[in-house]
Amino acid sequence: MTELTLAAAQTIVATALDHCRKGNFKPMSVVVLDARGALKAAASEDGTSLKRAGVAHGKAYGALSLGLGSRSLFKRAKEQPFFIASVTHVAEGALVPVPGGVLIRDAAGALVGVVGISGDTSDNDEAAALAGIAAAGLVGDPGED
């Protein structure tokens, strides 16, 4: 299994934010956690709202907690709202079930971390996360609709 290095996490953040600027997205926050949930890298652009980084963390932590990209959690929230509400409570509120929380896998498919991004539409958040992960030579797993 590949370890998520600080250099890879920093590449994810920098590339994701570059993707956002090129797309003229709203100000963004990016959080990268390793496979055990420890913070590896984070950044918030000028002009983000007060809790934007918390939302990004919730997308990442929720995806990591359930082993599903947050797109899958969004689907579950619609189909099983009581389950997601219960897991949110267990995760001490750190679960945001909308796209933008993308699992990071190595080439063999092993989970090495997760990135959460928030600030624009959920689909744009997710696209920025995937761009950052690819730039680090890793594989993004956003979950399924």
Side-chain angles (χ1 to χ4, degrees):
M1 177 170 82
T2 304
E3 180 180 328
L4 180 64
T5 64
L6 176 59
Q10 290 173 326
T11 295
I12 291 168
V13 169
T15 303
L17 291 176
D18 184 58
H19 178 92
C20 295
R21 287 312 99 233
K22 288 178 179 172
N24 199 30
F25 296 177
K26 295 176 184 173
M28 306 291 276
S29 288
V30 183
V31 173
V32 181
L33 308 176
D34 66 15
R36 62 194 173 104
L39 180 65
K40 286 300 267 195
S44 290
E45 292 183 305
D46 297 344
T48 58
S49 60
L50 178 63
K51 296 294 184 178
R52 189 60 59 194
V55 174
H57 180 268
K59 288 181 180 187
Y61 193 78
L64 186 62
S65 294
L66 289 176
L68 298 169
S70 64
R71 183 167 289 279
S72 292
L73 297 181
F74 180 63
K75 179 182 178 186
R76 298 253 336 238
K78 291 188 284 187
E79 295 171 355
Q80 300 175 310
F82 294 114
F83 173 76
I84 292 295
S86 298
V87 174
T88 301
H89 176 73
V90 170
E92 299 176 354
L95 190 152
V96 178
V98 296
V102 180
L103 299 175
I104 304 168
R105 299 189 182 278
D106 66 13
L111 181 67
V112 298
V114 64
V115 59
I117 301 185
S118 182
D120 206 86
T121 67
S122 294
D123 288 339
N124 284 345
D125 296 349
E126 181 179 274
L130 289 167
I133 293 166
L138 297 162
V139 179
D141 177 1
E144 298 179 6
D145 285 321

